[in-house]
Amino acid sequence: MSSGQESVFSEYETDTSQTSKLLRKFKETPFVPIGMAGFAMVVGYGLYRLKHRGDMKMSLHLIHMRVAAQGFVVGAITCGVLYSMFQEYMKPKE
């Protein structure tokens, strides 16, 4: 193996704790956990409202919840992309 590959592998091997890997990923991409949390909240709210949906059909209720959950995730991804673009283009010139 070349020295470049060894350094990459050793970097990942030193960080063996699952918690530290997860925290590192959250720091690199902060909007992914926000999107996941929003998706979970929409699903939880949808399950709560499922009991009190009245005369609304089940399929219509599920479609509304799916659209809301997907919209939240797409919004979080869009904010993440805009945030990373802003960070990249607003770097101070050297």
Side-chain angles (χ1 to χ4, degrees):
M1 270 199 236
S2 70
S3 62
Q5 288 179 345
E6 290 173 3
S7 66
V8 170
F9 291 136
S10 65
E11 177 184 332
Y12 286 110
E13 289 172 1
T14 59
D15 213 13
T16 57
S17 170
Q18 291 293 331
T19 306
S20 61
K21 286 181 183 179
L22 187 63
L23 290 174
R24 182 175 46 90
K25 282 292 185 184
F26 284 172
K27 288 179 183 176
E28 290 174 4
T29 55
F31 285 95
V32 171
I34 293 171
M36 290 170 28
F39 176 80
M41 287 190 312
V42 169
V43 168
Y45 177 73
L47 290 174
Y48 173 75
R49 292 292 299 164
L50 184 64
K51 193 173 188 180
H52 307 288
R53 71 180 187 272
D55 59 350
M56 183 187 294
K57 289 185 178 181
M58 173 71 97
S59 61
L60 186 60
H61 176 74
L62 293 176
I63 289 171
H64 287 169
M65 290 298 107
R66 178 184 63 90
V67 168
Q70 284 178 336
F72 195 92
V73 171
V74 168
I77 290 171
T78 303
C79 289
V81 168
L82 292 174
Y83 177 73
S84 65
M85 286 174 53
F86 179 76
Q87 279 187 331
E88 185 175 327
Y89 290 116
M90 295 308 238
K91 287 181 184 177
K93 294 184 180 180
E94 296 176 8

